Amino acid sequence: MLGERDVVATVQRVALRDLRFWVREGWVKPAESERGPVFDDLDIARVRLLCDLRKDMSLPSEAVPVVLSLLDQIHGLRRELRDLAGAVDAQPEDIRHAIIKAFRVD
């Protein structure tokens, strides 16, 4: 877990004022501690993504929530598909084959 200044030192492309703005906007949602916000690995990845979107791709602020929402939905769907694949894999072989066959029917 990193504090704000540690995040800025780790992700050198982000300024402290940008990080604080992104947190206020809810684009990054760090945990709160007695000393202020603390950022985990997922938060750091989100900060790096925001650097790519805002600085490298010049994405306007108005578009950021839409893009983040879509990316969050994609990650959620990937997680659900992984869980579904695990549930299918846990089934007996004949059930797995029936599911695969039903899935491949157009």
Side-chain angles (χ1 to χ4, degrees):
M1 301 293 263
L2 301 175
E4 290 175 320
R5 295 189 188 284
D6 297 321
V7 171
V8 171
T10 300
V11 184
Q12 297 177 356
R13 298 186 305 154
V14 66
L16 184 58
R17 66 179 158 67
D18 291 330
L19 179 63
R20 287 178 174 165
F21 174 76
W22 297 346
V23 170
R24 273 194 314 275
E25 290 296 311
W27 300 348
V28 180
K29 298 175 183 173
E32 285 294 325
S33 75
E34 296 169 357
R35 295 184 177 167
V38 288
F39 300 79
D40 62 17
D41 291 340
L42 289 175
D43 296 322
I44 301 302
R46 186 86 158 196
V47 168
R48 287 189 171 112
L49 170 65
L50 283 163
C51 286
D52 292 344
L53 294 173
R54 296 287 293 136
K55 297 174 186 299
D56 296 346
M57 298 176 175
S58 301
L59 190 72
S61 293
E62 304 80 41
V64 171
V66 174
V67 171
L68 292 176
S69 174
L70 292 170
L71 288 170
D72 289 342
Q73 289 176 48
I74 289 169
H75 285 290
L77 289 170
R78 288 179 67 200
R79 201 170 21 256
E80 287 181 32
L81 284 172
R82 187 179 56 244
D83 292 346
L84 179 59
V88 170
D89 284 344
Q91 299 305 309
E93 187 174 352
D94 60 327
I95 301 294
R96 285 196 318 267
H97 288 296
I99 292 170
I100 291 168
K101 183 179 178 183
F103 180 73
R104 291 191 177 148
V105 172
D106 292 327

